[in-house]
Amino acid sequence: MRRFTTTEGQTQAEAMQEEAMSAGCASLSHCRMREQVRVRGVISQVTLNPRGVNRWLEAILDDGSGEVTLIWMGRRIVRGIEPGRKLEVEGRLTLFEGRPTIYNPKYSLLNL
């Protein structure tokens, strides 16, 4: 019965969460600020931020339970970081402009 009442997006989100948990990653919905985290998800958006002299590459990672902003300071390009790409990241969870953020995360590109 549940299969008929859930949307395709919910089903995909649940599958992403199960895959991340089986790989030993945390769910963003259970992570706390200032905590060292390892999460896995799909990049939904990539933006180059050209504010002032400090430039950085910004990506939004969705793990099915929430989103985290990834910021690579001083970088214009990070090879492999593109929308739709599966990624596993590790770093300290902070807040930037009210959004959960990880600065200069360690990352692994995953097979599509």
Side-chain angles (χ1 to χ4, degrees):
M1 183 65 166
R2 183 173 183 275
R3 186 174 58 143
F4 296 113
T5 60
T6 58
T7 65
E8 183 178 340
Q10 289 171 323
T11 304
Q12 289 175 347
E14 288 172 3
M16 278 196 304
Q17 289 175 7
E18 287 174 18
E19 180 183 329
M21 288 177 58
S22 68
C25 295
S27 174
L28 281 170
S29 62
H30 294 101
C31 294
R32 293 182 296 188
M33 290 301 131
R34 296 187 294 264
E35 185 176 66
Q36 188 74 18
V37 299
R38 190 174 76 167
V39 295
R40 179 183 277 212
V42 176
I43 296 175
S44 62
Q45 179 181 342
V46 177
T47 308
L48 176 62
N49 192 333
R51 293 184 196 167
V53 291
N54 297 325
R55 296 179 186 217
W56 64 80
L57 184 71
E58 197 172 296
I60 307 295
L61 184 76
D62 183 351
D63 80 339
S65 71
E67 294 181 336
V68 63
T69 301
L70 309 173
I71 295 178
W72 285 273
M73 300 296 293
R75 304 287 299 270
R76 291 178 182 217
I77 296 173
V78 176
R79 298 228 186 263
I81 302 300
E82 55 194 32
R85 181 69 154 166
K86 280 187 175 182
L87 197 66
E88 184 172 303
V89 298
E90 187 175 339
R92 186 155 315 273
L93 192 62
T94 63
L95 277 181
F96 175 68
E97 295 181 348
R99 301 175 299 182
T101 303
I102 300 174
Y103 287 95
N104 298 318
K106 294 178 187 175
Y107 68 97
S108 298
L109 301 173
L110 304 174
N111 294 331
L112 297 174

